[in-house]
Amino acid sequence: DINATSLNDSATLAEHWNGTSWSKVATVNPTVGSYFYGVTTIAANDVWAVGQSFNFGSNSWNTLIEHYNGSTWAVVTSANSSTLDYNELDTISAFSSTDIWAVGGHAPVDGSGNLGTFQSLAEHWDGASWTVVSTPNTATGGNAILGVNALEANHAVGVGYGDFVNGSAPQEGEAWDLTLGGSTNVVLNASASDNAFLSVARAADGVWAVGYASTSSLSPLGNLVWQANWNSSTHTLTWAASPGASDSPSSTFEFLNAVAAVSPSVFWAVGTEDNNTFVDQTLTEVYCGLHFMVSAPPTAVPGSAFWLTVPAKNADASTATGYQGTIPFTRHDSQSVMPAVYTHTP
């Protein structure tokens, strides 16, 4: 956003990189007081951004969704829990041009403008309109979905937080299984104190969510990372029984704000950390998990067998000598004969 003089005097801001430099691209502002918080790109002429704008008619904040068609940005009618509520969309993820998810939170507003309990908010685009998708919430406290990733048609994973009584009890890390037929959620806590997820990314069957956690109400925030596995055959997302391990350069304060997937075994995350001198600094971490390499002869003779070598590699590229998983083979050439499923031995 571009903030002129006050909170309610802001405008949306979009910039484009052409390979050499960044330039501002004109956007639309339904009212004074408009923000973009998230963006997703399907194609060069199919880009979506989400956020919120102030509705002076109802004196409340409403969702804002805009679409870029390759030449101009335009507002697309979005859904709200109620136009009288405070509504906010924080991020967006697309499976296709007709299957997109946007998530955030909403809260009732009283006559004095005070916000009530936050509840999770999810919306879905079917190619024609945006509609609110019902989502569960933990206990009676505030809830918000801050990260989302489209898994398959009409199915996405969302992450965020919930608490029991609007901040008087610890936050809970939450993950939502978002579907049009009925969404569910699960609590993922690394500690008995505050937990929250801010972003989630996926490549093939690999999924990581990132955020923060603290061990007690008096302890500083620390990185929180949690891994899941996506099975496209059974359409199920399975979260690990416990959080993953991340580098923790600071004992004073740190958290991971966003994550991106390069491959099922390589993820990048960014955030902030205190360098123990009470100065915040950028924090970047990379995850490289167990992965496989494949090598074969540069040429093959029809009708003759040849060797495939498929070593399992650790994060540091050393051979995973203790790996005992299986390797199934598939073929694109109907004339070829594939080896049976291979089981690694130590």
Side-chain angles (χ1 to χ4, degrees):
D1 73 284
I2 303 172
N3 195 323
T5 57
S6 66
L7 177 67
N8 293 338
D9 191 21
S10 295
T12 56
L13 170 65
E15 296 194 14
H16 179 257
W17 173 258
N18 64 5
T20 303
S21 61
W22 287 95
S23 60
K24 181 183 174 183
V25 178
T27 55
V28 180
N29 294 280
T31 67
V32 175
S34 298
Y35 296 83
F36 281 154
Y37 297 137
V39 64
T40 191
T41 300
I42 302 167
N45 61 349
D46 194 359
V47 185
W48 293 83
V50 298
Q52 65 180 162
S53 63
F54 192 74
N55 185 331
F56 285 91
S58 60
N59 197 35
S60 62
W61 289 91
N62 291 167
T63 59
L64 172 63
I65 299 180
E66 295 193 21
H67 179 258
Y68 179 74
N69 63 5
S71 58
T72 59
W73 285 92
V75 173
V76 178
T77 301
S78 56
N80 294 276
S81 60
S82 165
T83 55
L84 300 179
D85 281 4
Y86 175 98
N87 294 266
E88 176 182 311
L89 293 174
D90 294 295
T91 190
I92 182 171
S93 178
F95 180 73
S96 70
S97 59
T98 59
D99 192 346
I100 307 173
W101 291 86
V103 297
H106 69 94
V109 183
D110 65 21
S112 300
N114 299 314
L115 297 183
T117 302
F118 258 85
Q119 299 291 275
S120 57
L121 176 63
E123 300 187 11
H124 182 262
W125 170 259
D126 61 5
S129 62
W130 286 95
T131 55
V132 171
V133 176
S134 178
T135 53
N137 298 282
T138 60
T140 57
N143 295 256
I145 309 177
L146 303 177
V148 68
N149 188 276
L151 298 172
E152 61 178 351
N154 302 322
H155 192 178
V157 56
V159 297
Y161 73 90
D163 60 39
F164 280 98
V165 244
N166 291 337
S168 62
Q171 289 180 327
E172 294 182 328
E174 281 190 75
W176 282 262
D177 200 43
L178 302 171
T179 66
L180 300 184
S183 301
T184 60
N185 66 333
V186 61
V187 173
L188 301 172
N189 283 333
S191 70
S193 192
D194 286 335
N195 294 256
F197 295 104
L198 306 178
S199 179
V200 61
R202 176 184 69 93
D205 61 352
V207 179
W208 277 98
V210 303
Y212 61 81
S214 60
T215 55
S216 73
S217 60
L218 299 178
S219 63
L221 294 181
N223 294 335
L224 174 61
V225 296
W226 212 297
Q227 190 173 28
N229 177 266
W230 165 245
N231 189 320
S232 59
S233 298
T234 59
H235 312 286
T236 54
L237 184 70
T238 304
W239 291 94
S242 57
S246 66
D247 274 343
S248 300
S250 172
S251 60
T252 303
F253 173 82
E254 62 190 359
F255 67 88
L256 295 172
N257 194 62
V259 61
V262 178
S263 75
S265 60
V266 179
F267 287 74
W268 285 86
V270 295
T272 188
E273 60 100 5
D274 188 305
N275 65 356
N276 298 322
T277 60
F278 302 102
V279 177
D280 288 349
Q281 298 189 118
T282 57
L283 173 62
T284 304
E285 298 195 10
V286 64
Y287 166 83
C288 184
L290 183 77
H291 55 286
F292 301 93
M293 306 295 290
V294 179
S295 62
T299 60
V301 178
S304 299
F306 63 90
W307 287 96
L308 289 173
T309 303
V310 188
K313 295 291 187 178
N314 294 310
D316 62 0
S318 63
T319 300
T321 56
Y323 183 69
Q324 299 182 62
T326 59
I327 300 284
F329 294 89
T330 59
R331 64 183 182 181
H332 296 282
D333 175 7
S334 62
Q335 300 301 310
S336 63
V337 178
M338 303 302 292
V341 172
Y342 178 79
T343 301
H344 280 265
T345 56

XYZ file of all heavy atoms in Angstrom, residues 109-190:
578
model
N -18.301 -5.875 14.460
C -17.948 -4.527 14.903
C -19.136 -3.943 15.656
O -20.274 -3.956 15.145
C -17.585 -3.618 13.707
C -17.159 -2.237 14.197
C -16.489 -4.252 12.872
N -18.902 -3.426 16.872
C -20.012 -2.844 17.629
C -20.231 -1.387 17.237
O -19.529 -0.839 16.365
C -19.779 -2.976 19.139
C -18.574 -2.179 19.641
O -18.149 -1.235 18.951
O -18.075 -2.499 20.733
N -21.184 -0.738 17.859
C -21.542 0.622 17.503
C -20.440 1.633 17.728
O -20.459 2.724 17.145
N -19.473 1.279 18.554
C -18.356 2.188 18.828
C -17.142 1.889 17.957
O -16.097 2.524 18.103
C -17.954 2.090 20.305
O -19.040 2.434 21.140
N -17.296 0.909 17.062
C -16.191 0.558 16.186
C -15.224 -0.442 16.773
O -14.164 -0.695 16.192
N -15.570 -1.027 17.921
C -14.700 -2.013 18.546
C -14.893 -3.381 17.894
O -16.021 -3.790 17.586
C -14.989 -2.113 20.043
C -14.743 -0.796 20.764
O -13.715 -0.164 20.548
N -15.690 -0.386 21.598
N -13.787 -4.115 17.699
C -13.847 -5.415 17.066
C -14.162 -6.502 18.081
O -13.654 -6.484 19.207
C -12.517 -5.742 16.386
C -12.088 -4.829 15.235
C -10.779 -5.337 14.630
C -13.159 -4.755 14.168
N -14.994 -7.459 17.665
C -15.294 -8.616 18.491
C -14.307 -9.736 18.217
O -13.178 -9.502 17.773
N -14.719 -10.958 18.469
C -13.842 -12.117 18.309
C -13.584 -12.418 16.842
O -14.516 -12.568 16.055
C -14.461 -13.354 18.974
O -14.689 -13.078 20.360
C -13.544 -14.559 18.842
N -12.306 -12.527 16.480
C -11.932 -12.879 15.114
C -12.284 -14.329 14.810
O -12.137 -15.201 15.668
C -10.427 -12.666 14.907
C -10.098 -11.402 14.173
C -9.980 -10.207 14.862
C -9.942 -11.404 12.803
C -9.683 -9.031 14.196
C -9.645 -10.229 12.122
C -9.514 -9.036 12.818
N -12.743 -14.571 13.598
C -13.017 -15.912 13.120
C -12.347 -16.108 11.763
O -12.112 -15.152 11.023
C -14.523 -16.147 12.998
C -15.280 -16.024 14.313
C -14.960 -17.168 15.276
O -15.544 -18.244 15.229
N -14.022 -16.923 16.177
N -12.044 -17.357 11.443
C -11.368 -17.653 10.181
C -12.285 -17.331 9.000
O -13.511 -17.415 9.090
C -10.961 -19.122 10.138
O -12.092 -19.965 10.307
N -11.660 -16.965 7.880
C -12.405 -16.624 6.667
C -11.721 -17.262 5.469
O -10.509 -17.113 5.284
C -12.462 -15.104 6.490
C -13.124 -14.585 5.204
C -14.596 -14.988 5.142
C -12.990 -13.065 5.100
N -12.489 -17.991 4.664
C -11.975 -18.586 3.437
C -12.988 -18.342 2.322
O -14.205 -18.438 2.533
C -11.730 -20.083 3.605
N -12.467 -18.003 1.133
C -13.323 -17.774 -0.024
C -12.800 -18.585 -1.209
O -11.605 -18.853 -1.301
C -13.359 -16.294 -0.401
C -13.886 -15.397 0.684
C -14.081 -13.965 0.229
O -14.000 -13.715 -1.000
O -14.307 -13.102 1.087
N -13.721 -18.944 -2.112
C -13.345 -19.750 -3.276
C -13.903 -19.125 -4.550
O -15.025 -18.639 -4.583
C -13.878 -21.181 -3.130
C -13.498 -22.075 -4.266
N -14.356 -22.345 -5.322
C -12.341 -22.748 -4.533
C -13.742 -23.145 -6.183
N -12.525 -23.413 -5.728
N -13.073 -19.133 -5.600
C -13.460 -18.628 -6.922
C -13.668 -19.811 -7.857
O -12.782 -20.662 -8.020
C -12.369 -17.712 -7.449
C -12.496 -17.301 -8.892
C -11.821 -17.820 -9.952
C -13.345 -16.270 -9.428
N -12.175 -17.176 -11.110
C -13.119 -16.221 -10.833
C -14.261 -15.400 -8.867
C -13.783 -15.331 -11.660
C -14.919 -14.510 -9.702
C -14.679 -14.470 -11.075
N -14.850 -19.896 -8.475
C -15.165 -21.017 -9.358
C -15.130 -20.627 -10.834
O -15.598 -21.379 -11.695
C -16.533 -21.595 -9.013
C -17.665 -20.575 -9.175
O -17.392 -19.437 -9.642
O -18.809 -20.911 -8.838
N -14.576 -19.462 -11.113
C -14.526 -18.975 -12.483
C -15.585 -17.953 -12.774
O -15.523 -17.245 -13.794
N -16.586 -17.867 -11.890
C -17.684 -16.913 -12.095
C -17.879 -15.981 -10.907
O -18.195 -14.802 -11.075
C -18.982 -17.666 -12.383
N -17.702 -16.491 -9.689
C -17.950 -15.663 -8.507
C -17.148 -16.171 -7.313
O -16.726 -17.341 -7.264
C -19.436 -15.661 -8.153
O -19.872 -16.978 -7.835
N -16.947 -15.265 -6.347
C -16.321 -15.597 -5.083
C -17.402 -15.893 -4.051
O -18.368 -15.137 -3.927
C -15.461 -14.441 -4.579
C -14.168 -14.268 -5.315
C -13.915 -13.438 -6.364
C -12.940 -14.957 -5.047
N -12.612 -13.561 -6.773
C -11.978 -14.483 -5.979
C -12.545 -15.916 -4.114
C -10.662 -14.943 -5.988
C -11.236 -16.375 -4.127
C -10.315 -15.886 -5.057
N -17.261 -16.987 -3.308
C -18.212 -17.343 -2.261
C -17.462 -17.718 -0.993
O -16.359 -18.275 -1.045
C -19.103 -18.522 -2.674
O -18.267 -19.630 -3.048
C -19.997 -18.138 -3.842
N -18.063 -17.409 0.155
C -17.471 -17.786 1.435
C -17.642 -19.285 1.649
O -18.718 -19.835 1.434
C -18.123 -17.011 2.596
C -17.653 -17.560 3.942
C -17.798 -15.527 2.496
N -16.558 -19.950 2.061
C -16.585 -21.371 2.391
C -16.545 -21.503 3.903
O -15.674 -20.915 4.565
C -15.386 -22.106 1.758
C -15.362 -23.569 2.188
C -15.438 -21.994 0.243
N -17.461 -22.254 4.473
C -17.532 -22.409 5.922
C -16.271 -23.074 6.460
O -15.789 -24.073 5.915
C -18.753 -23.252 6.294
O -18.816 -23.453 7.697
N -15.714 -22.507 7.545
C -14.510 -23.050 8.162
C -14.714 -23.167 9.670
O -15.324 -22.296 10.288
C -13.280 -22.166 7.885
O -13.580 -20.813 8.275
C -12.912 -22.204 6.417
N -14.195 -24.229 10.295
C -14.309 -24.378 11.746
C -13.302 -23.498 12.472
O -12.322 -23.040 11.890
C -14.003 -25.865 11.960
C -13.088 -26.216 10.830
C -13.530 -25.382 9.659
N -13.544 -23.277 13.763
C -12.660 -22.483 14.601
C -12.456 -23.188 15.931
O -13.356 -23.877 16.428
C -13.253 -21.091 14.856
C -13.420 -20.292 13.582
O -12.464 -19.752 13.064
N -14.641 -20.238 13.052
N -11.279 -23.024 16.519
C -11.010 -23.667 17.796
C -11.653 -22.896 18.927
O -11.628 -21.668 18.973
C -9.499 -23.755 18.065
O -8.959 -22.433 18.082
C -8.800 -24.588 17.008
N -12.242 -23.641 19.860
C -12.810 -23.071 21.082
C -13.651 -21.821 20.797
O -14.385 -21.765 19.826
C -11.700 -22.800 22.082
N -13.501 -20.809 21.631
C -14.301 -19.588 21.482
C -13.445 -18.371 21.209
O -13.939 -17.256 21.166
C -15.122 -19.333 22.764
O -14.214 -19.250 23.876
C -16.104 -20.460 23.006
N -12.156 -18.557 21.038
C -11.265 -17.422 20.854
C -11.109 -17.023 19.405
O -11.788 -17.517 18.509
N -10.199 -16.083 19.180
C -9.970 -15.580 17.841
C -9.280 -16.595 16.953
O -8.474 -17.405 17.414
N -9.613 -16.558 15.663
C -9.027 -17.460 14.678
C -8.756 -16.688 13.392
O -9.530 -15.796 13.024
C -9.968 -18.620 14.345
C -10.218 -19.550 15.512
O -9.684 -20.648 15.577
N -11.056 -19.114 16.456
N -7.694 -17.046 12.698
C -7.404 -16.431 11.399
C -6.582 -17.405 10.572
O -5.743 -18.138 11.104
C -6.649 -15.117 11.566
N -6.851 -17.431 9.255
C -6.069 -18.241 8.325
C -5.122 -17.282 7.604
O -5.570 -16.381 6.898
C -6.967 -18.975 7.315
C -8.079 -19.740 8.038
C -6.145 -19.935 6.467
C -9.056 -20.428 7.101
N -3.828 -17.474 7.785
C -2.843 -16.519 7.282
C -2.048 -17.038 6.091
O -1.348 -16.270 5.433
C -1.891 -16.123 8.407
C -2.563 -15.524 9.649
C -1.531 -15.236 10.727
C -3.339 -14.273 9.296
N -2.121 -18.342 5.825
C -1.430 -18.925 4.686
C -2.318 -19.940 4.003
O -3.141 -20.596 4.653
N -2.179 -20.096 2.682
C -3.004 -21.054 1.947
C -2.226 -21.574 0.748
O -1.381 -20.865 0.188
C -4.336 -20.414 1.488
C -4.105 -19.338 0.428
C -5.308 -21.471 0.984
N -2.494 -22.833 0.378
C -1.901 -23.417 -0.821
C -2.920 -24.359 -1.443
O -3.454 -25.242 -0.766
C -0.615 -24.165 -0.490
C 0.130 -24.606 -1.731
O -0.158 -25.646 -2.303
N 1.092 -23.802 -2.138
N -3.197 -24.161 -2.732
C -4.153 -25.002 -3.446
C -3.520 -26.362 -3.735
O -2.449 -26.437 -4.342
C -4.585 -24.321 -4.738
N -4.168 -27.434 -3.301
C -3.624 -28.782 -3.434
C -4.089 -29.477 -4.714
O -3.317 -30.108 -5.411
C -4.043 -29.635 -2.235
C -3.547 -29.158 -0.864
C -4.205 -29.969 0.236
C -2.034 -29.266 -0.772
N -5.375 -29.370 -4.996
C -5.999 -30.006 -6.152
C -7.319 -29.292 -6.397
O -7.643 -28.304 -5.731
C -6.227 -31.491 -5.887
C -7.153 -31.756 -4.712
C -7.419 -33.232 -4.460
O -7.024 -34.068 -5.289
O -8.043 -33.546 -3.416
N -8.112 -29.783 -7.332
C -9.387 -29.138 -7.633
C -10.260 -29.061 -6.385
O -10.499 -30.073 -5.712
C -10.100 -29.904 -8.744
N -10.685 -27.843 -6.058
C -11.610 -27.602 -4.943
C -11.074 -28.064 -3.591
O -11.844 -28.425 -2.702
C -12.968 -28.259 -5.215
C -13.602 -27.766 -6.494
O -13.506 -26.585 -6.831
N -14.255 -28.662 -7.219
N -9.761 -28.045 -3.420
C -9.152 -28.535 -2.180
C -7.869 -27.751 -1.919
O -7.020 -27.630 -2.798
C -8.845 -30.027 -2.331
C -8.481 -30.708 -1.053
N -8.204 -32.054 -0.979
C -8.334 -30.236 0.215
C -7.917 -32.387 0.272
N -7.983 -31.295 1.015
N -7.739 -27.217 -0.702
C -6.556 -26.435 -0.342
C -6.204 -26.678 1.110
O -7.005 -27.198 1.898
C -6.798 -24.944 -0.582
N -4.980 -26.306 1.486
C -4.562 -26.338 2.877
C -4.371 -24.897 3.338
O -3.806 -24.065 2.622
C -3.260 -27.149 3.059
C -2.142 -26.623 2.175
C -2.817 -27.124 4.525
N -4.870 -24.600 4.531
C -4.688 -23.284 5.127
C -4.011 -23.425 6.478
O -4.154 -24.448 7.158
N -3.248 -22.412 6.875
C -2.598 -22.416 8.189
C -2.787 -21.057 8.843
O -2.983 -20.045 8.176
C -1.092 -22.749 8.090
C -0.881 -24.158 7.541
C -0.353 -21.724 7.243
N -2.720 -21.048 10.171
C -2.882 -19.794 10.903
C -2.828 -20.048 12.391
O -1.962 -20.772 12.880
N -3.803 -19.489 13.109
C -3.786 -19.640 14.562
C -5.195 -19.544 15.117
O -6.144 -19.090 14.468
C -2.916 -18.561 15.212
C -3.559 -17.186 15.195
C -4.368 -16.763 16.250
C -3.383 -16.324 14.115
C -4.982 -15.517 16.232
C -3.988 -15.076 14.090
C -4.783 -14.684 15.147
O -5.403 -13.456 15.111
N -5.332 -19.954 16.364
C -6.549 -19.749 17.136
C -6.153 -19.566 18.581
O -5.100 -20.040 19.011
N -6.973 -18.863 19.358
C -6.733 -18.804 20.795
C -8.070 -18.975 21.503
O -9.131 -18.960 20.877
C -6.013 -17.517 21.220
C -6.794 -16.262 20.881
O -8.025 -16.268 21.028
O -6.170 -15.273 20.476
N -8.003 -19.164 22.810
C -9.218 -19.520 23.525
C -10.060 -18.320 23.942
O -11.265 -18.351 23.853
C -8.885 -20.383 24.746
C -8.643 -21.808 24.378
C -7.361 -22.279 24.208
C -9.702 -22.672 24.170
C -7.136 -23.593 23.848
C -9.492 -23.989 23.813
C -8.199 -24.453 23.650
N -9.424 -17.278 24.442
C -10.201 -16.138 24.890
C -9.547 -14.829 24.499
O -9.179 -14.043 25.342
C -10.438 -16.150 26.406
C -11.901 -16.287 26.764
C -9.633 -17.175 27.101
N -9.429 -14.637 23.187
C -8.950 -13.355 22.667
C -7.667 -12.859 23.316
O -7.590 -11.727 23.786
C -10.033 -12.284 22.808
C -11.190 -12.541 21.873
O -11.036 -13.210 20.863
N -12.352 -12.039 22.221
N -6.678 -13.693 23.364
C -5.377 -13.243 23.823
C -5.083 -13.503 25.279
O -3.942 -13.389 25.707
N -6.097 -13.839 26.098
C -5.822 -14.110 27.507
C -5.345 -15.541 27.711
O -4.973 -15.924 28.811
C -7.069 -13.852 28.358
O -8.119 -14.715 27.971
N -5.376 -16.345 26.665
C -4.827 -17.703 26.698
C -3.885 -17.856 25.516
O -3.966 -17.097 24.544
C -5.956 -18.728 26.647
N -2.978 -18.822 25.570
C -1.997 -18.955 24.486
C -2.647 -19.196 23.128
O -3.705 -19.823 23.014
C -1.171 -20.173 24.918
C -1.354 -20.257 26.391
C -2.747 -19.780 26.655
N -1.987 -18.703 22.085
C -2.402 -19.002 20.719
C -2.106 -20.456 20.385
O -1.137 -21.032 20.869
C -1.650 -18.113 19.725
C -2.053 -16.655 19.735
C -1.257 -15.863 18.726
O -0.098 -16.159 18.482
N -1.870 -14.860 18.139
N -2.959 -21.024 19.533
C -2.737 -22.371 19.034
C -2.401 -22.316 17.554
O -3.031 -21.570 16.796
C -3.996 -23.230 19.198
C -4.384 -23.515 20.624
C -5.603 -24.407 20.701
O -6.475 -24.315 19.809
O -5.687 -25.195 21.647
N -1.407 -23.076 17.146
C -1.150 -23.223 15.727
C -2.237 -24.079 15.113
O -2.615 -25.105 15.676
N -2.766 -23.654 13.958
C -3.859 -24.395 13.337
C -3.576 -24.637 11.861
O -2.929 -23.827 11.188
C -5.174 -23.616 13.440
C -5.869 -23.699 14.767
C -7.264 -23.092 14.689
O -8.167 -23.739 14.124
O -7.442 -21.957 15.180
N -4.098 -25.764 11.377
C -4.071 -26.064 9.948
C -5.483 -26.458 9.534
O -6.158 -27.212 10.240
C -3.090 -27.185 9.646
N -5.913 -25.918 8.403
C -7.257 -26.193 7.890
C -7.173 -27.033 6.621
O -6.342 -26.763 5.741
C -7.994 -24.897 7.558
C -8.558 -24.154 8.716
C -9.848 -24.177 9.167
C -7.875 -23.213 9.571
N -10.000 -23.339 10.251
C -8.809 -22.737 10.515
C -6.563 -22.753 9.626
C -8.472 -21.815 11.492
C -6.227 -21.841 10.606
C -7.170 -21.371 11.525
N -8.020 -28.027 6.518
C -8.211 -28.783 5.290
C -9.432 -28.164 4.621
O -10.572 -28.393 5.045
C -8.439 -30.264 5.609
C -8.174 -31.163 4.423
O -7.166 -30.944 3.729
O -8.985 -32.082 4.170
N -9.210 -27.339 3.603
C -10.268 -26.545 2.999
C -10.862 -27.262 1.789
O -10.171 -27.529 0.811
C -9.725 -25.180 2.567
C -9.093 -24.333 3.674
C -8.398 -23.121 3.074
C -10.140 -23.906 4.694
N -12.152 -27.582 1.863
C -12.863 -28.184 0.746
C -14.234 -27.547 0.632
O -14.777 -27.013 1.609
C -13.041 -29.705 0.916
O -13.908 -29.960 2.037
C -11.699 -30.396 1.148
N -14.804 -27.623 -0.560
C -16.129 -27.051 -0.768
C -17.196 -27.876 -0.066
O -18.261 -27.377 0.295
C -16.435 -26.961 -2.266
C -15.480 -26.100 -3.099
C -15.956 -26.008 -4.536
C -15.341 -24.710 -2.506
N -16.911 -29.152 0.149
C -17.905 -30.019 0.771
C -17.913 -29.986 2.280
O -18.770 -30.603 2.911
N -16.974 -29.299 2.896
C -16.900 -29.238 4.344
C -15.463 -29.244 4.815
O -14.739 -30.206 4.591
N -15.045 -28.170 5.457
C -13.654 -28.020 5.871
C -13.461 -28.516 7.298
O -14.378 -28.507 8.117
C -13.227 -26.557 5.764
O -13.377 -26.088 4.441
N -12.231 -28.952 7.603
C -11.867 -29.385 8.947
C -10.587 -28.684 9.365
O -9.892 -28.089 8.541
C -11.654 -30.913 9.006
O -10.599 -31.271 8.093
C -12.921 -31.654 8.619
N -10.270 -28.750 10.651
C -9.020 -28.155 11.118
C -8.385 -29.017 12.182
O -9.033 -29.872 12.797
C -9.231 -26.726 11.625
C -10.091 -26.673 12.876
O -10.921 -27.543 13.105
N -9.899 -25.649 13.693
N -7.092 -28.814 12.387
C -6.329 -29.566 13.371
C -5.394 -28.607 14.084
O -4.892 -27.647 13.489
C -5.537 -30.709 12.696
C -4.552 -30.158 11.671
C -4.801 -31.558 13.723
N -5.196 -28.825 15.380
C -4.294 -27.993 16.178
C -2.899 -28.601 16.142
O -2.723 -29.803 16.354
C -4.789 -27.884 17.630
C -3.760 -27.155 18.497
C -6.129 -27.159 17.675
N -1.885 -27.758 15.855
C -0.484 -28.193 15.808
C 0.321 -27.277 16.718
O 0.655 -26.151 16.338
C 0.052 -28.126 14.374
C -0.678 -28.968 13.325
C -0.140 -28.642 11.932
C -0.533 -30.454 13.620
N 0.617 -27.737 17.913
C 1.340 -26.923 18.878
C 2.711 -27.509 19.175
O 2.840 -28.709 19.440
C 0.561 -26.811 20.190
C -0.589 -25.832 20.087
O -0.541 -24.897 19.293
N -1.629 -26.052 20.872
N 3.727 -26.655 19.147
C 5.069 -27.077 19.500
C 5.361 -26.834 20.973
O 6.333 -27.353 21.505
C 6.091 -26.329 18.645
